[in-house]
Amino acid sequence: MSVELTKANLSDIESMQKLVIPEVEAGVILARSSDEIATNIRSYIIAREDGEIVGFCALHIHTPTLAEIRSLIVKESKRGMGIGQSLIDEAMQEAKVLGLKKVLTLTYKQSFFEKLGFIEIPKESIPEHKIWADCIKCKHFPICNEVSLIKTL
């Protein structure tokens, strides 16, 4: 298996949306419109295998010192092959280059992120604008079972 990591481009949006549909419908990933993805396209890292998008995530910057890993998805048939970890590693490297100090995530996959050095934090410590900008759009809001984790760079 040869997976290539690249930055997303606008022509990837349709394939990204198709890949994420099952997880959005299950309430595991927050739905994002194609316009929202386009606006934030520079945040996305794509994993491709033989030209096909098999995963992606975004590094979304909240402040000059804090970013968030969001929208992590790997095609179901490709899970367990290290693609998710590669995407996170790439995002963390980008965060370091940008001079960020911490990266947070909200996830149902706590153990996955803990294996990568993230530690659980209280949701109350997440920047308030994150809650109002993203969480309020979730079908689970305000009763959320996601876990907040953070990693210091």
Side-chain angles (χ1 to χ4, degrees):
M1 177 180 78
S2 176
V3 174
E4 176 189 17
L5 301 180
T6 63
K7 292 299 279 182
N9 61 56
L10 296 168
S11 64
D12 293 324
I13 294 173
E14 185 178 344
S15 296
M16 292 167 69
Q17 290 286 45
K18 286 179 183 172
L19 180 61
V20 81
I21 286 171
E23 301 297 322
V24 168
E25 290 174 350
V28 175
I29 291 183
L30 189 63
R32 301 204 185 273
S33 70
S34 293
D35 287 348
E36 185 178 0
I37 294 172
T39 299
N40 294 289
I41 198 69
R42 292 182 190 108
S43 300
Y44 288 91
I45 301 164
I46 301 287
R48 296 180 202 277
E49 182 181 42
D50 298 326
E52 176 192 7
I53 295 175
V54 294
F56 64 85
C57 74
L59 179 70
H60 183 78
I61 299 170
H62 287 289
T63 72
T65 59
L66 177 69
E68 175 188 6
I69 298 287
R70 58 163 61 168
S71 302
L72 175 63
I73 181 74
V74 174
K75 185 177 180 178
E76 192 168 358
S77 64
K78 300 295 180 181
R79 293 179 187 168
M81 299 179 178
I83 296 169
Q85 181 174 343
S86 294
L87 285 163
I88 299 300
D89 289 347
E90 186 76 10
M92 298 304 284
Q93 185 59 39
E94 183 177 347
K96 286 177 186 175
V97 168
L98 291 170
L100 292 158
K101 304 296 181 207
K102 295 182 179 183
V103 177
L104 71 87
T105 192
L106 282 155
T107 184
Y108 295 106
K109 307 288 185 184
Q110 181 176 358
S111 63
F112 171 79
F113 282 94
E114 286 175 337
K115 288 176 189 170
L116 300 176
F118 286 75
I119 57 168
E120 186 175 355
I121 58 169
K123 282 190 198 143
E124 299 76 37
S125 66
I126 295 174
E128 192 172 302
H129 65 271
K130 161 67 180 161
I131 302 300
W132 295 113
D134 291 323
C135 297
I136 201 162
K137 296 184 261 182
C138 179
K139 69 182 187 179
H140 300 296
F141 185 80
I143 301 167
C144 176
N145 293 327
E146 281 190 311
V147 177
S148 311
L149 298 111
I150 199 159
K151 184 171 182 176
T152 302
L153 303 174

